Amino acid sequence: MGLTVEVLNDLEARNLQAAAQAALVENNAIALIELLEMLWSCDLEGANTVIDAVLQRLQQLRSLR
């Protein structure tokens, strides 16, 4: 839940760089999937940038398995 709150705070502050960066350094795939689900279902400005970062990070984590 910490990742979601951090990203939402960054999006609210219109800090897309920080929101995307938080996703790109997250190691917990479950937290990333929860964030992706939340961003996908809401209409937040800048969400697509973070969605792209989440998908990229999930792909990276998958390749490490």
Side-chain angles (χ1 to χ4, degrees):
M1 192 62 144
L3 175 64
T4 299
V5 171
E6 180 180 346
V7 168
L8 288 176
N9 286 339
D10 288 337
L11 286 175
E12 184 179 3
R14 295 192 177 8
N15 191 346
L16 296 179
Q17 288 280 3
Q21 187 60 33
L24 288 172
V25 298
E26 180 61 49
N27 290 318
N28 184 336
I30 293 171
L32 287 165
I33 292 168
E34 289 174 349
L35 176 61
L36 179 62
E37 181 180 30
M38 189 274 309
L39 291 172
W40 196 276
S41 64
C42 69
D43 187 27
L44 288 174
E45 188 176 328
N48 285 340
T49 300
V50 182
I51 288 171
D52 291 343
V54 168
L55 292 172
Q56 179 182 344
R57 184 59 181 153
L58 286 170
Q59 184 75 22
Q60 291 170 349
L61 292 174
R62 181 175 176 237
S63 68
L64 293 174
R65 291 187 79 203

